Amino acid sequence: MTTTDASDEELVADEGTPRQLVSWVTLGLMTTASVASLRPSPSMAIYGLAAIFLYLLPAVVFLLPTALVGAELASGWTGGIYRWVSEALGKPLGFLAVWCQFAMTIAYYPSLLAYVASTFAYVIDPSLAENGLYVAIVIVVIYWTGVWISSRGTKTVAGLSSMGLVIGTLVPGVVLVALGFVFLGQGNPSAAPMNASHWLPPWTGLASLVLIVNNFLSYAGMEMNGVHVSSLRDPKREYPKSMFLATGLVLLIFILPALAISWVMPSSQLSLTAGLMQAFQAFFDHFHIGWMTKVVGVMLVAAALGGMLTWLAGPAKGLVLLSRQEGYLPPFLQRLNRYGTPQNIMVAQGVITTLIGILYAFSGDVSSAYWMFSVITVQIYLIAYLLMFVAVVRLRRTRPEVERGFRVPAVAWVAGIGFVASVAALFIGFVPPDQFGGQPLWRYLLIVGGGLLALGVLAPLAFLKFRKPSWVHPDHQRPLPPP
């Protein structure tokens, strides 16, 4: 899915370098593969039929703007978000953007591995799914195992992610939806009401909508495939078509499983981490094939672990290579091992991940802990997106002469909608959801606000303030500009 079709012809670019063309359908499928997942389904299944609206809204105000803006920036400037933001707003803010892409993984891995732990519990003992000590042990053990594997430079890791899309997303998703339709076709009542009066979620204040914030994380990464826009035959016409195709497919993969879960699991009983497995178990028990629960559990865990391994070294290595050129990180954190892996920064990241994982052991509610770390992940990532939306507008004004393979129509409006939506999601994340379980508000705000402040703001500011000319790697030594 990530390679060009055999029938695609080669075109020689102006510089004389051969360029392989891809069809807009291929690009749409590539984008779908990089975004779609079953993991957020339980958090939206709580809303029942209203999940459709709650997936469509951020798709329009966030998913499409990030995809379109990413395409314009990627087709005009190589180097990713650091280059885009640096060209528009200066190198310090460029570093902040790329740091946030890395730092969000610090909060992301504990939430991902909490999902893995709760899913695997259905293979060994479902009662462990909400056991904080069990979840903490799984997070710590699997993360450090992943660091060891990644630090060895294993080349088979990328293959795990490709297989994971089919094994851990498409197959279980199709099975879940098919079982749901058969379940309803037999005349069984849906656990969530499915009539027209439930298209919109009931309004009980912001807390009733706050789970929508998770959809911003679900859609994150849509802009990554913008780098391939120059490989389209007619980018101006074909790129929007590929994005609309990807958006439609992503919405189907997100919405249908969420609805299927809501048909069989009452929202009051749904776990945000184990909800997917709760639904599978309920369906399989209903159809008297309960043994399939363990099979699906293994498939979902394998896919999640494959995705984690491919992500583990990538953001860290990008940050380290940039820091070697610009001196953003101390030399100790810039070191690569003999396999070319940034082992030191991964270990430092692992220490923080371990401390976060240990918090699960003292949590009486695994779902609430999972949600808080998911929110921190979203908020840190949104900082990078806010900078990206500002950058595209500023570059259109200050660098109009730069040739772009694709230009966003009404760029100020598109970027403005994405910016406002991102700010709204960032602030809504500070409101605990109705499912938070009556825990003290100060604890929620302390963890979410403290995580965002420490990882997304204070850490990069400290590196910028205290960096020294000697932090630039000897291969890139040159006068260091002021921070």
Side-chain angles (χ1 to χ4, degrees), residues 132-143:
L133 179 60
Y134 158 77
V135 172
I137 292 172
V138 170
I139 289 173
V140 173
V141 170
I142 292 184
Y143 179 83

Side-chain angles (χ1 to χ4, degrees), residues 35 54-70 212-223 243 247 250 254 377-389 413-426:
V35 175
L54 294 174
Y55 269 121
L56 284 173
L57 179 62
V60 172
V61 301
F62 178 76
L63 178 66
L64 285 175
T66 57
L68 296 174
V69 166
I212 196 175
V213 173
N214 202 39
N215 290 346
F216 283 75
L217 177 61
S218 303
Y219 292 144
M222 190 77 167
E223 79 286 354
M243 287 304 100
T247 300
V250 166
F254 281 146
T377 304
V378 175
Q379 290 179 318
I380 293 173
Y381 212 171
L382 285 175
I383 294 174
Y385 281 112
L386 290 172
L387 293 169
M388 187 178 83
F389 288 129
W413 281 98
V414 172
I417 290 171
F419 185 91
V420 171
S422 299
V423 170
L426 197 151

Side-chain angles (χ1 to χ4, degrees), residues 36-39 41 115 164-181 249 252-261 263 276-277 279-280 283-284 292 296-297 299-300 303:
S37 168
L38 295 179
R39 192 165 72 95
S41 299
Y115 159 79
L165 173 70
V166 176
I167 295 173
T169 299
L170 298 183
V171 173
V174 170
V175 169
L176 182 66
V177 173
L179 290 174
F181 280 118
L249 292 175
L252 285 176
I253 293 173
F254 281 146
I255 290 172
L256 291 180
L259 290 178
I261 293 172
W263 295 337
L276 196 58
M277 292 306 298
F280 274 117
F283 279 134
F284 289 145
M292 280 292 294
V296 170
M299 293 168 66
L300 293 172

Side-chain angles (χ1 to χ4, degrees), residues 68-248:
L68 296 174
V69 166
E72 171 163 335
L73 293 171
S75 66
W77 292 268
T78 59
I81 196 167
Y82 174 78
R83 174 83 182 279
W84 306 339
V85 176
S86 296
E87 292 278 349
L89 306 172
K91 288 186 175 182
L93 288 178
F95 170 69
L96 176 61
V98 78
W99 168 267
C100 286
Q101 281 193 331
F102 161 75
M104 73 94 181
T105 64
I106 297 174
Y108 171 72
Y109 291 130
S111 63
L112 171 67
L113 294 177
Y115 159 79
V116 168
S118 295
T119 300
F120 190 66
Y122 279 77
V123 179
I124 52 177
D125 181 2
S127 66
L128 292 173
E130 290 290 328
N131 185 300
L133 179 60
Y134 158 77
V135 172
I137 292 172
V138 170
I139 289 173
V140 173
V141 170
I142 292 184
Y143 179 83
W144 286 107
T145 302
V147 169
W148 180 80
I149 293 173
S150 296
S151 68
R152 306 290 294 175
T154 307
K155 294 183 179 179
T156 57
V157 165
L160 292 174
S161 180
S162 302
M163 291 181 357
L165 173 70
V166 176
I167 295 173
T169 299
L170 298 183
V171 173
V174 170
V175 169
L176 182 66
V177 173
L179 290 174
F181 280 118
V182 173
F183 177 80
L184 294 182
Q186 291 179 336
N188 296 294
S190 169
M194 289 288 127
N195 50 52
S197 62
H198 290 84
W199 277 104
L200 296 177
W203 179 255
T204 58
L206 282 178
S208 62
L209 289 180
V210 72
L211 291 180
I212 196 175
V213 173
N214 202 39
N215 290 346
F216 283 75
L217 177 61
S218 303
Y219 292 144
M222 190 77 167
E223 79 286 354
M224 296 299 182
N225 282 302
V227 296
H228 299 295
V229 68
S230 59
S231 297
L232 294 170
R233 291 181 176 86
D234 185 356
K236 292 181 176 62
R237 184 175 61 88
E238 292 184 340
Y239 186 76
K241 289 166 64 175
S242 73
M243 287 304 100
F244 281 116
L245 172 65
T247 300

